């Protein structure tokens, strides 16, 4: 089987992390975001993954090379001369996607869920039509693509409305599709095209698009607030399905569960960690540190008695003694927060040193 992952865009909503790292490589629960997807695809027998990119992918090529062999998948980079939107890249990768007549997967690169690919394949084959969109329910549907069904039909889609201004329903496009190769005939070559605004409405018109209901959690983690929420959902799911990947709750410093710590990280004495904390490779945590609902990216250091909540600490950053970070604070690569400093919702650019309190949410350049 084959898959294409849409990896374009500059990840501006995930700044300052994406100023020094391509979004798909930012570690989500201690693993590059895109690797969660590639692993799940490989697990159902996908052998060819196309990464559709519109910037030079050198760093990604280097990082992903080692996984090709490990996972037994061929990773193809498909570089767009100009951004081709969400459908144009499929046409550009036509050669790989039409290697055989089997349907292929398409994924937005910034979403997390339990990736039920096997069930999706079975469902898609069972209805025999051109495409299947995975859908999930959300409370605030206006930032997504909304799906409306044919009356009296369990899965056939009647309307697809991208970013609706008025309420049309709360079942939304989760950014995972399975499509027959015939869909490629609907897309023009070398023209930026939106799958949501052009291709899907055309397939809907012919009555050939179906929805598949997602079980379990789902989140678009393309911005810091949602990245933190998505991490909580992912860790809660692991606690049920694969608790071995979490630190056992019997560990004295774990508080409230859902704690993931890389084996190379060091934890000081008398810490209180959790719930919903991810500590990356090589991190060093001092004594008496309090961490909750946060991700510490590889190589970061938190000094004694710091207090961190709802925060992403960037690679190799240092948080000073008795510092307090909260309210969706994001530190870029190599940031230093001074001792006893308070940061409330700060977005701190790479290589900065913060010596004064940040009392209200702000971008610190
Ligand atoms: N290769 C390539 N080229 N990829 C692109 C381009 C492009 O020109 N433009 C966007 N992408 C990729 C993004 O990297 C992302 O993985 C995916 O296409 C979707 O783009 P977003 O910018 O993240 O869109 P969105 O989040 O506003 O909406 C999309 O995702 C929602 C689910 O999270 C839509 O598909 C909605 O319908 C959907 O509900
Ligand atoms: Mg998105």
């Amino acid at each position: 089987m084959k898959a294409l992952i849409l990896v374009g865009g500059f990840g501006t909503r995930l700044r300052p992390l994406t100023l020094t790292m391509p979004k798909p490589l930012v570690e989500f629960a201690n693993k590059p975001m895109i690797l969660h997807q590639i692993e799940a695809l490989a697990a159902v027998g996908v052998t060819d993954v196309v990464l559709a990119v519109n910037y030079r992918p050198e760093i990604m090529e280097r990082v992903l090379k080692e996984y090709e062999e490990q996972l037994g998948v061929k990773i193809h980079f498909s570089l767009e001369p100009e951004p081709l939107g969400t459908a144009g890249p499929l046409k550009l990768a036509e050669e790989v996607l039409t290697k055989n007549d089997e349907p292929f997967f398409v994924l937005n690169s910034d979403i997390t869920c339990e990736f039920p690919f096997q069930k999706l394949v079975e469902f898609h084959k069972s209805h025999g039509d051109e495409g299947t969109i995975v859908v999930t329910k959300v409370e605030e549907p206006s930032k997504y693509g909304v799906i409306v069904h044919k009356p009296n039909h369990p899965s056939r889609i009647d309307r697809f409305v991208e970013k609706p201004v008025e309420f049309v329903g709360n079942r939304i496009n989760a950014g995972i599709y399975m499509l027959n190769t015939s869909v490629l005939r609907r897309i023009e070559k070398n023209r930026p095209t939106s799958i949501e605004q052009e291709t899907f409405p055309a397939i809907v018109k012919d009555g050939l698009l179906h929805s598949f209901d997602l079980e379990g959690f789902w989140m678009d983690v393309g911005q810091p607030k949602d990245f933190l929420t998505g991490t909580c959902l992912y860790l809660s799911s692991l606690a049920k399905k694969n608790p071995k990947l979490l630190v056992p709750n019997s560990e004295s410093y774990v508080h409230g569960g859902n704690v993931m710590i890389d084996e190379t990280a060091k934890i000081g004495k008398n810490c209180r960690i959790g719930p919903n904390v991810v500590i990356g490779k090589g991190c060093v945590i001092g004594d008496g540190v309090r961490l909750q609902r946060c991700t510490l990216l590889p190589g970061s250091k938190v000094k004694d008695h710091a207090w961190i909540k709802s925060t992403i600490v960037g690679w190799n950053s240092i948080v000073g003694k008795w510092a307090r970070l909260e309210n969706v604070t994001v530190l870029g690569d190599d940031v230093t927060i001074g001792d006893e400093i308070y940061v409330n919702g700060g977005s701190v650019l790479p290589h900065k040193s913060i010596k004064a309190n940040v009392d209200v949410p702000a971008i610190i350049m």
Side-chain angles (χ1 to χ4, degrees):
M1 276 191 293
K2 307 146 294 181
L4 179 141
I5 308 180
L6 290 159
V7 207
F10 296 98
T12 41
R13 287 176 289 187
L14 203 55
R15 275 182 191 160
L17 302 175
T18 45
L19 290 172
T20 50
M21 183 73 94
K23 178 164 84 169
L25 294 185
V26 172
E27 290 91 348
F28 176 85
N30 283 347
K31 197 188 286 179
M33 256 192 226
I34 196 140
L35 201 55
H36 289 270
Q37 303 187 324
I38 299 176
E39 281 183 359
L41 289 166
V44 296
V46 168
T47 51
D48 290 271
V49 177
V50 179
L51 298 187
V53 293
N54 53 33
Y55 46 84
R56 297 173 64 90
E58 289 99 346
I59 313 178
M60 256 199 290
E61 273 174 327
R62 196 163 6 97
V63 175
L64 294 178
K65 197 90 223 145
E66 61 180 289
Y67 296 106
E68 274 197 312
E69 216 169 294
Q70 199 178 313
L71 298 171
V73 292
K74 170 91 188 99
I75 299 175
H76 309 257
F77 283 85
S78 175
L79 179 61
E80 293 146 54
E82 57 161 337
L84 288 176
T86 45
L90 276 60
K91 190 71 176 178
L92 190 68
E94 191 164 26
E95 209 181 303
V96 181
L97 298 179
T98 55
K99 249 172 85 161
N100 53 37
D101 261 349
E102 291 239 291
F104 55 87
F105 296 97
V106 177
L107 264 67
N108 288 351
S109 61
D110 53 5
I111 54 117
T112 175
C113 64
E114 284 164 8
F115 301 117
F117 293 137
Q118 193 55 46
K119 286 186 183 164
L120 174 59
V121 177
E122 284 157 21
F123 174 75
H124 180 77
K125 292 191 171 161
S126 75
H127 67 64
D129 285 338
E130 230 179 325
T132 306
I133 299 183
V134 176
V135 307
T136 186
K137 277 190 190 162
V138 293
E139 277 174 20
E140 182 33 75
S142 62
K143 16 177 215 173
Y144 306 104
V146 175
I147 272 128
V148 183
H149 280 106
K150 288 257 186 239
N152 311 322
H153 195 285
S155 72
R156 188 164 278 130
I157 297 173
D158 197 24
R159 276 174 77 202
F160 184 99
V161 192
E162 183 64 15
K163 316 256 155 65
V165 228
E166 275 170 29
F167 186 86
V168 282
N170 65 349
R171 299 179 69 221
I172 62 126
N173 168 19
I176 302 174
Y177 325 123
M178 172 137 255
L179 305 174
N180 289 353
T181 52
S182 60
V183 168
L184 298 169
R185 291 201 284 274
R186 297 178 181 269
I187 308 168
E188 267 179 62
K189 246 198 178 114
N190 304 325
R191 183 175 74 83
T193 311
S194 160
I195 202 165
E196 297 88 353
Q197 277 160 4
E198 300 171 68
T199 320
F200 288 155
I203 311 177
V204 164
K205 215 165 152 206
D206 294 341
L208 298 173
L209 197 59
H210 291 257
S211 68
F212 171 82
D213 285 308
L214 188 65
E215 274 173 32
F217 77 98
W218 177 86
M219 200 75 203
D220 179 328
V221 294
Q223 40 191 314
K225 183 170 159 280
D226 297 340
F227 183 98
L228 288 167
T229 307
T231 304
C232 298
L233 296 172
Y234 176 80
L235 294 173
S236 301
S237 159
L238 272 191
K240 287 194 207 105
K241 305 218 154 153
N242 203 355
K244 283 201 300 285
L245 295 178
L246 301 176
V247 182
N249 290 348
S250 53
E251 187 70 54
S252 63
Y253 57 77
V254 170
H255 184 78
N258 292 2
V259 173
M260 174 183 269
I261 302 182
D262 185 274
E263 57 185 24
T264 60
K266 291 198 176 68
I267 311 292
K269 294 188 290 274
N270 302 322
C271 290
R272 195 165 155 113
I273 300 177
N276 300 308
V277 171
V278 175
I279 300 179
K281 201 186 258 178
C283 288
V284 180
I285 313 298
D287 296 339
V289 167
R290 175 72 180 114
L291 302 173
Q292 47 194 320
R293 202 175 195 275
C294 61
T295 288
L296 310 187
L297 291 169
S300 53
K301 200 170 171 182
V302 178
K303 295 196 181 165
D304 302 346
H305 310 293
W307 189 101
I308 303 180
K309 185 178 184 182
S310 294
T311 289
I312 306 172
V313 176
W315 308 271
N316 310 309
S317 286
I318 298 172
V319 178
K321 289 184 185 176
W322 290 286
R324 180 180 174 116
L325 312 178
E326 64 180 331
N327 194 19
V328 198
T329 284
V330 187
L331 311 184
D333 184 16
D334 179 39
V335 163
T336 304
I337 303 290
D339 291 348
E340 297 181 44
I341 291 295
Y342 171 56
V343 184
N344 171 19
S347 183
V348 185
L349 266 60
H351 317 299
K352 294 293 304 176
S353 188
I354 303 296
K355 296 182 183 113
N357 291 346
V358 178
D359 292 315
V360 288
I363 297 172
I364 319 296
M365 303 204 256

